[in-house]
Amino acid sequence: MTNRLLETLQGSLPKAGPPIWFMRQAGRYLPEYRALRSQHGTFLDLCFSPEAACEITLQPIRRFGFDAAIIFSDILVIPWGLGQDVSFAEGKGPVLPPLENETQLKMLKLAGMTKTLAPVYEAIALTKARLNAETALIGFAGSPWTLATYMLEGGSSRTFSQTLSWAYQRPDAFQALLDLLAEAVIEHLEFQIQAGAQAVQLFDSWAGAVPDPLFSQCVLNPAGRIVQTLNARHPAIPVIGFAKGAGVRLQQYGETGMQALGIDSMTPLPWAIRQAGGKVTQGNLDPFLLAAGGPLLDQAVDAILQQTHGKAHIFNLGHGILPHTPIAHVERVLQRVRNG
Amino acid sequence: MTNRLLETLQGSLPKAGPPIWFMRQAGRYLPEYRALRSQHGTFLDLCFSPEAACEITLQPIRRFGFDAAIIFSDILVIPWGLGQDVSFAEGKGPVLPPLENETQLKMLKLAGMTKTLAPVYEAIALTKARLNAETALIGFAGSPWTLATYMLEGGSSRTFSQTLSWAYQRPDAFQALLDLLAEAVIEHLEFQIQAGAQAVQLFDSWAGAVPDPLFSQCVLNPAGRIVQTLNARHPAIPVIGFAKGAGVRLQQYGETGMQALGIDSMTPLPWAIRQAGGKVTQGNLDPFLLAAGGPLLDQAVDAILQQTHGKAHIFNLGHGILPHTPIAHVERVLQRVRNG
């Protein structure tokens, strides 16, 4: 029984076409998710209930037979594990009391994090035991820069003004935060691997908001530290780096040591493949096009299949699946990719 | 009396160093602007009062002696001129009743637009008469894609879901809107040139939100149509194209016919200069760094001066100046650029 995702991540080409999974494939567009969600309290309660998180992780596998399951969790479990409050207001995204000074920053503690996050690792172990060998299990974490933006802005941001203000005006404290987060990400991914994750993805979701002179400090250096540490400790576990908006920095991002590169929807795929220099690529179907459907969706799927023909590529979206995505569109893409 | 901005746009290198102006240099960070603003009704009232718009345009020239004045106006005067309501809620950005169907789209009328926008052209004529020959006067417009996002989303957006939904699900209607807007932009820039604008800038502010398969349709084709029409009619008037977030598409954007390329803060400037293939560049100092100040600001200014040494480059920000920017920081940058 082969595992097509892991085969591809090792650089070989599965005979039956590219492996396929979708970012945020376990989530709100699925009625079985919404049913289970309504029985639980907060979103974090759900993330920290191993049985529920396992069940949600398995839902899209049962329904669609994706080649990989990604553990149902959230990148903000790390700030939570470090001692910052995190909540999710329905339809409004995450809310955190923003870190306002260095005293608050120093109150974050790495020491107890993996104990607080133990339910995530339990969920991974449960899921691994229930998946068949054909389906890979992916663990993940947010990147230090991306986590820092939520922790300093107090949630999602359009301008990242607090984060950039820290970076420019309190550079030592900001660097200390990035360092702490890099250690936290390493530990969190390490525990996920020990619990059964067979590959891990680093979500550098806001890499595109980093001004050029800060890019090495905020994105490349932390990513390098994380991936090199993991590669040294777990040489068999591939790391997928997804620096959304990295644009012209994609090649440098890959050179930090990633085994595979996630490609967002804005990046021309043939260009990205050249920049990846032989690394595995993943992406870049537009989630809005998946939600829209129709002949343009078919054409885009065909274009990706054609552009990645003969390359080690993982079929995926350029960002997370949207809550209003019709299930029929997901089924159509799967069919097209598998019969392509 | 020479005009350093226009010299640079013609590709020659002014002896006294690069010309300098800042996007949104006429605005809220200036106490004289805030004083004048408080005496007027709505923000659009201000844009449509030729005397006030002229005075605001001149304020930063008097205070700082920038090498160019950009007419005080807003990109959303075009939807207003086409018949869509536009208002500005204090601190919340623009609000428009979003276009919801093709009937509403068909109610937009180009015919009366330049009559409605006549006060903008009057403001330009007034300003031109009051500027000395050393200071260039720049006109501007938003790009069709960027205008379409405001018109379809009803304001600023983080996801552009309505716009992308139109693009994918009503492609003919969406193309008709882009075509209408391209014509509107051409007319609006044409009238600004006739009133005295010596260069024009096209603000493709949301180019970075366009998924790759739509980039030609939404960004390259409209830009090419606009710039080629203007170049044919007014060969002496340079066009600066500023496609924020264009990233790896920068070279293609320049090839649509621009005389100069605005570079955002996320793009490595040496890379952008190579991609520009001899075209004039403009940018890319981070406005957050300008607001932060300190030694990092000095270093960034020096880096830009060094990277653009011997090239035709216009010193500017990578995006608009922020309202909380201290005036002393603007003065410091001007001094450093001029004595650099």
Side-chain angles (χ1 to χ4, degrees):
Chain A
M1 198 69 91
T2 59
N3 182 310
R4 296 202 294 161
L5 185 98
L6 297 180
E7 267 184 27
T8 301
L9 282 169
Q10 283 148 11
S12 50
L13 296 178
K15 279 184 197 128
I20 175 168
W21 69 280
F22 283 168
M23 288 187 277
R24 256 186 240 150
Q25 65 189 15
R28 276 197 283 159
Y29 73 109
L30 291 176
E32 57 269 37
Y33 169 81
R34 296 193 298 268
L36 202 151
R37 173 78 190 84
S38 67
Q39 295 162 24
H40 282 77
T42 70
F43 180 78
L44 276 186
D45 285 345
L46 204 58
C47 293
F48 292 135
S49 305
E51 274 293 343
C54 166
E55 170 59 23
I56 293 170
T57 304
L58 294 173
Q59 283 173 346
I61 308 304
R62 279 194 214 108
R63 185 186 269 271
F64 302 115
F66 283 118
D67 294 299
I70 184 163
I71 191 65
F72 178 77
S73 185
D74 193 273
I75 63 167
L76 297 181
V77 297
I78 284 184
W80 172 270
L82 294 173
Q84 190 173 13
D85 193 32
V86 178
S87 60
F88 291 82
E90 203 59 47
K92 296 200 97 184
V95 179
L96 301 81
L99 301 178
E100 282 172 353
N101 52 53
E102 296 178 41
T103 311
Q104 290 177 350
L105 198 157
K106 283 182 185 137
M107 287 172 67
L108 301 172
K109 294 285 174 236
L110 184 57
M113 185 190 75
T114 52
K115 200 169 166 194
T116 307
L117 302 188
V120 176
Y121 316 131
E122 281 176 54
I124 288 177
L126 277 179
T127 309
K128 184 72 187 312
R130 293 178 194 170
L131 278 175
N132 69 35
E134 276 182 305
T135 312
L137 180 55
I138 301 174
F140 73 93
S143 74
W145 160 262
T146 292
L147 294 174
T149 67
Y150 288 96
M151 296 167 78
L152 298 174
E153 307 287 340
S156 301
S157 177
R158 197 178 290 166
T159 62
F160 303 93
S161 60
Q162 295 307 315
T163 317
L164 292 172
S165 159
W166 275 75
Y168 288 133
Q169 296 185 294
R170 290 183 269 195
D172 294 341
F174 184 69
Q175 183 60 51
L177 178 59
L178 291 178
D179 288 340
L180 173 71
L181 289 169
E183 283 308 306
V185 168
I186 290 168
E187 278 205 21
H188 187 46
L189 291 176
E190 169 97 52
F191 273 68
Q192 291 182 65
I193 291 167
Q194 285 170 2
Q198 297 163 292
V200 293
Q201 178 156 327
L202 185 64
F203 283 87
D204 242 315
S205 309
W206 295 116
V210 180
D212 178 62
L214 297 176
F215 198 82
S216 292
Q217 180 196 8
C218 295
V219 179
L220 298 179
N221 297 350
R225 180 168 163 187
I226 293 162
V227 69
Q228 286 156 30
T229 304
L230 291 174
N231 282 347
R233 294 189 196 162
H234 303 279
I237 303 293
V239 180
I240 306 166
F242 179 44
K244 187 166 179 285
V248 306
R249 297 291 209 147
L250 186 66
Q251 187 182 358
Q252 287 177 299
Y253 192 68
E255 286 168 356
T256 63
M258 312 296 176
Q259 279 68 51
L261 284 171
I263 313 298
D264 63 34
S265 302
M266 285 64 189
T267 305
L269 191 51
W271 180 91
I273 291 169
R274 288 196 300 276
Q275 297 290 306
K279 281 180 202 290
V280 181
T281 51
Q282 171 178 286
N284 71 342
L285 183 67
D286 184 8
F288 285 96
L289 183 49
L290 179 66
L296 290 176
L297 173 59
D298 291 348
Q299 286 167 30
V301 170
D302 292 351
I304 292 174
L305 292 174
Q306 187 254 314
Q307 289 159 351
T308 60
H309 186 75
K311 322 270 184 200
H313 179 77
I314 300 162
F315 202 97
N316 205 323
L317 302 172
H319 196 31
I321 194 168
L322 295 161
H324 64 283
T325 306
I327 284 170
H329 297 184
V330 177
E331 289 168 342
R332 187 171 178 95
V333 169
L334 270 155
Q335 197 174 33
R336 208 163 181 96
V337 169
R338 295 208 162 141
N339 302 333
Chain B
M1 199 68 90
T2 58
N3 183 310
R4 297 203 294 162
L5 186 98
L6 297 180
E7 268 184 24
T8 301
L9 282 170
Q10 283 148 11
S12 51
L13 296 177
K15 280 185 197 124
I20 174 169
W21 69 280
F22 283 168
M23 288 186 277
R24 258 186 239 148
Q25 65 190 14
R28 276 197 283 161
Y29 73 109
L30 291 176
E32 57 268 37
Y33 169 81
R34 295 192 299 267
L36 203 151
R37 174 78 191 83
S38 67
Q39 294 161 25
H40 282 76
T42 70
F43 180 78
L44 277 186
D45 285 344
L46 204 58
C47 292
F48 292 135
S49 306
E51 274 292 344
C54 167
E55 170 60 22
I56 293 171
T57 305
L58 294 172
Q59 284 173 347
I61 308 304
R62 280 195 214 108
R63 186 186 269 272
F64 302 116
F66 283 118
D67 294 300
I70 183 161
I71 190 66
F72 178 78
S73 186
D74 193 273
I75 63 168
L76 297 181
V77 297
I78 284 184
W80 173 269
L82 294 172
Q84 190 173 13
D85 193 32
V86 177
S87 60
F88 290 82
E90 203 57 46
K92 295 200 99 185
V95 180
L96 300 81
L99 301 178
E100 283 171 352
N101 52 54
E102 296 177 42
T103 311
Q104 290 177 350
L105 198 157
K106 283 180 185 139
M107 290 172 65
L108 301 173
K109 292 286 175 236
L110 185 56
M113 184 190 75
T114 53
K115 200 169 166 193
T116 307
L117 302 188
V120 176
Y121 316 130
E122 281 176 55
I124 287 176
L126 277 178
T127 308
K128 183 73 189 309
R130 293 178 194 171
L131 278 175
N132 68 36
E134 276 181 305
T135 313
L137 181 55
I138 302 174
F140 73 92
S143 73
W145 160 261
T146 292
L147 295 174
T149 67
Y150 289 95
M151 296 167 77
L152 298 173
E153 307 288 340
S156 301
S157 178
R158 197 179 290 166
T159 61
F160 303 92
S161 60
Q162 295 307 315
T163 317
L164 292 172
S165 159
W166 275 75
Y168 289 132
Q169 295 184 294
R170 292 182 268 194
D172 294 341
F174 184 69
Q175 183 60 52
L177 177 59
L178 291 178
D179 287 341
L180 173 73
L181 289 170
E183 283 309 305
V185 168
I186 289 168
E187 279 205 21
H188 187 46
L189 291 175
E190 169 97 51
F191 273 68
Q192 292 182 64
I193 291 166
Q194 285 169 4
Q198 297 163 291
V200 293
Q201 179 157 327
L202 185 65
F203 283 87
D204 243 314
S205 309
W206 296 116
V210 180
D212 178 62
L214 297 176
F215 199 81
S216 292
Q217 181 196 6
C218 295
V219 179
L220 298 178
N221 297 350
R225 179 168 164 187
I226 293 162
V227 70
Q228 286 156 29
T229 305
L230 291 174
N231 282 346
R233 293 189 198 163
H234 304 280
I237 303 293
V239 181
I240 307 166
F242 178 44
K244 187 166 179 286
V248 306
R249 297 291 210 145
L250 186 66
Q251 186 182 359
Q252 287 177 299
Y253 191 68
E255 285 167 357
T256 62
M258 314 295 177
Q259 280 67 51
L261 284 172
I263 312 298
D264 63 34
S265 302
M266 283 65 189
T267 305
L269 191 51
W271 180 90
I273 291 169
R274 288 196 300 276
Q275 297 291 305
K279 281 180 201 291
V280 182
T281 51
Q282 170 178 287
N284 72 342
L285 183 68
D286 183 7
F288 285 97
L289 183 49
L290 180 67
L296 290 175
L297 174 59
D298 292 347
Q299 286 167 31
V301 171
D302 292 351
I304 291 173
L305 292 173
Q306 186 253 316
Q307 288 160 351
T308 60
H309 185 74
K311 321 269 186 202
H313 179 77
I314 300 163
F315 201 98
N316 205 323
L317 301 172
H319 195 31
I321 194 168
L322 296 161
H324 65 282
T325 306
I327 284 171
H329 297 183
V330 177
E331 290 168 342
R332 187 171 178 94
V333 169
L334 270 155
Q335 198 174 32
R336 208 162 180 97
V337 169
R338 295 209 161 142
N339 302 332

